[in-house]
Amino acid sequence: MLGSLLRRSPRPDSGRTPDVPVNWGRLFSYMRPYLKWMAVAFVMILGTSALSLVFPLIIQQVIDAVLVENSGDLLNNITALLIGTFLLRAVLSAIDTYIINYIGEKIVYDLRVDLYNHMQSLSLSFFSKRRVGELVSRLTSDVTTLRNVLTTNVNLFVQQILIVIGSLVLMVLINWRLTLFIAVVTPIMAGLGVALGVILRRASTQIQDELAAANVVANETIQSIREVKSFVREDYERARYDGAVRRALDIALKVLRVRAVLGSAVTFVGFGSVGAILWFGGREALEGRLSGGELVAFLVYALSIAGSLGAILSLYTSLQQALGASKRVFEIMDTAPSITDAPDAQIVTRADGRITLAGVHFSYDVRQEVLDDITLDIAPGEIIALVGPSGAGKSTIFNLIPRFYDPTAGAVLLDGVDLRAITQYSLREQIAIVPQETLLFGGSVYDNIVYGKLDAPRDAVIEAARNANAHDFIMGLPDGYDTIVGERGIRLSGGQRQRVAIARALLKDPRILLLDEATSSLDSEAEHEVQEALGRLMQGRTTVIIAHRLSTVRIAHRIVVMQEGRIADVGSHDELIARGGLYARLHALQFRIEDALADMPDDPDA
Ligand code: ATP
């Protein structure tokens, strides 16, 4: 049982790789701005530790002077001194606690901002490989763990060291023979306590890991509750969560058994040591080398040394945890964005909107080529519909145009300039993307539209909403434009969310539009509203559409048919149908039903 708790096999997903060295200088560099405050805290710790050490001496005085001399006055004086000491210690400790936690909060802030800023600078490829819950936990729990080690733990460590050294010095001054005796007994006591502490802490980390894994399950499920319910997978998810939480329970129960057995052993050894000190000290007292008060003071010092040693070693284990946390934090900070601006990258102010893909090859990972020699020239203002079977590489072309990824070979150009020679900011300012499923931010409808151009006046926002056929439904919402939409826009219908996304894109007024058409069909009225809004949005802009609807392919100037990462054919709807290739087959499968539906009357009774 013990062995299994001590042997920790790193979970592949936990991100714990304890063998990698930690850069202490870097960790402590977060303390650097607050060194002055740390120094003040240190003075306070010196004071509180010294006052803690005075306490046993006062007890000694009470026993030796007051009780032996039977003096009430002396008792009053000593009590007053004792209370005064405690009061001063309380004041110093309050100041110390405040300063340490003040520094802690500042460090948490600095670390979070640094980490979050860095995350924002990372490229899309980084996020596509990570889970949201894991990244967020780095911003929350890992950062908090780091704060604790840098502040509270450092503070405690200094305090305990001071108490150990001070107690030892005072003990030697009182009676060196007894000190020597204790020097043998105490480490045994402390050692056992520490062993227990190490095991418990290690196990509690295991419990935390298992709980974190369970949290990931809960997170995913709750976020995708719609999928869970639509597939009626509640029982499956219950079992998955139950399994994850049960693993945490198993470890917790194991820990409980160890705690029960080892905890009692530690208590027994502790009391046994007190007995041994009393025995040896009693003999010293009998031989006149030690007073009663000194014997009691001794015992208190010995106990506080044991306590401090235990605390120091348990601090060591929490340090180990912090190392894990710091590695996870710095691992992200050390990840360089895969897409960066060239030093001499040019700023595009207003592009014409010609997009050229010249011999583009691309793969997300080396094993599979996703785009294979794509060459396509899209004129300014042209509407291009991309069609093709699932997995053909249509979305990947969408990823290359705003330079979310770079091609592995060949080049993507804007107005004849390689995207790698343009700043990402100015490039993306030229482009608006209307995705298949619009996720709205958790603010108001207004906030969601103005996101397209943060400095736009209110009139412009409303104008954009009007052109997106969104104004009327927005005015019908409880607070109009100031209505708060759910975290994922849950209160708006699919068609309404799309129109908000269109308004946002209209406000941005880009030269290039990337439109991933929704596959889900809306009712014919909503469909009409969305299509009309899209028509206005496309006006005069270079538009690339991943098309799912017949009506869309019909308005496109050219249709690009993709298959397995290649361009299989290019032409107008009629040309492609006449050629009878892949497009004709796709059309037969995908659009014929739509055609038939369009010919049917809306009202079945009509
Ligand atoms: P669909 O119509 O289903 O959206 P698509 O034509 O848009 O398909 P892409 O999404 O471009 O196809 O995908 C092309 C290929 O690239 C697929 O085989 C897919 O598995 C792979 N792929 C897409 N995104 C990634 C990614 N982030 N990492 C690794 N592979 C990816």
Side-chain angles (χ1 to χ4, degrees), residues 128 364-365 368 370 389-396 405:
S128 71
Y364 290 99
D365 72 75
Q368 187 200 7
V370 174
S390 177
K394 306 178 296 283
S395 308
T396 304
Y405 294 85

Side-chain angles (χ1 to χ4, degrees), residues 120-407:
Q120 287 287 333
S121 76
L122 289 174
S123 310
L124 224 59
S125 58
F126 171 83
F127 295 96
S128 71
K129 290 182 203 132
R130 311 264 173 164
R131 289 174 140 174
V132 180
E134 184 207 322
L135 287 177
V136 171
S137 96
R138 297 196 187 190
L139 279 170
T140 51
S141 53
D142 284 344
V143 165
T144 310
T145 311
L146 278 189
R147 161 232 151 108
N148 287 343
V149 76
L150 286 177
T151 55
T152 317
N153 290 359
V154 167
N155 193 53
L156 265 176
F157 184 76
V158 173
Q159 198 167 29
Q160 302 304 330
I161 292 278
L162 287 174
I163 287 178
V164 169
I165 295 172
S167 300
L168 271 176
V169 170
L170 288 166
M171 283 161 76
V172 170
L173 288 178
I174 297 173
N175 182 312
W176 66 267
R177 287 158 55 89
L178 187 51
T179 313
L180 212 60
F181 177 76
I182 291 172
V184 179
V185 177
T186 312
I188 300 174
M189 216 168 108
L192 251 171
V194 164
L196 178 67
V198 170
I199 292 169
L200 293 183
R201 259 170 202 277
R202 217 158 258 192
S204 90
T205 327
Q206 275 184 342
I207 299 175
Q208 304 262 308
D209 279 359
E210 295 298 348
L211 279 181
N215 283 347
V216 169
V217 174
N219 222 323
E220 277 176 1
T221 318
I222 294 171
Q223 269 187 17
S224 316
I225 193 72
R226 186 180 289 272
E227 279 73 16
V228 175
K229 294 221 172 272
S230 67
F231 282 96
V232 219
R233 287 293 174 265
E234 290 94 334
D235 284 341
Y236 171 78
E237 293 301 344
R238 275 186 201 117
R240 211 154 72 98
Y241 187 70
D242 183 72
V245 181
R246 191 167 293 276
R247 279 192 291 278
L249 174 70
D250 287 345
I251 297 174
L253 292 181
K254 239 187 222 180
V255 173
L256 213 69
R257 291 193 284 273
V258 176
R259 192 199 297 262
V261 175
L262 262 189
S264 308
V266 170
T267 314
F268 171 73
V269 173
F271 280 119
S273 315
V274 173
I277 296 172
L278 268 179
W279 172 77
F280 192 92
R283 286 176 63 94
E284 289 287 290
L286 286 178
E287 287 176 29
R289 287 196 284 258
L290 196 71
S291 72
E294 283 173 335
L295 180 56
V296 174
F298 235 98
L299 263 179
V300 178
Y301 282 130
L303 290 176
S304 73
I305 288 186
S308 294
L309 288 182
I312 288 170
L313 277 136
S314 71
L315 283 178
Y316 173 77
T317 14
S318 63
L319 194 72
Q320 293 291 326
Q321 283 177 355
L323 295 190
S326 79
K327 266 179 17 58
R328 288 193 292 273
V329 167
F330 291 135
E331 181 199 25
I332 293 188
M333 293 229 206
D334 288 344
T335 307
S338 50
I339 306 286
T340 51
D341 284 348
D344 54 352
Q346 69 184 69
I347 296 171
V348 177
T349 43
R350 188 86 184 148
D352 291 340
R354 173 177 296 280
I355 303 167
T356 314
L357 291 106
V360 167
H361 290 256
F362 182 78
S363 53
Y364 290 99
D365 72 75
V366 283
R367 280 167 297 182
Q368 187 200 7
E369 185 155 76
V370 174
L371 294 183
D372 180 9
D373 198 19
I374 300 282
T375 294
L376 182 66
D377 191 42
I378 308 171
E382 189 177 14
I383 300 175
I384 289 279
L386 292 179
V387 299
S390 177
K394 306 178 296 283
S395 308
T396 304
I397 290 192
F398 267 34
N399 281 337
L400 296 184
I401 296 174
R403 206 184 162 211
F404 290 145
Y405 294 85
D406 279 333

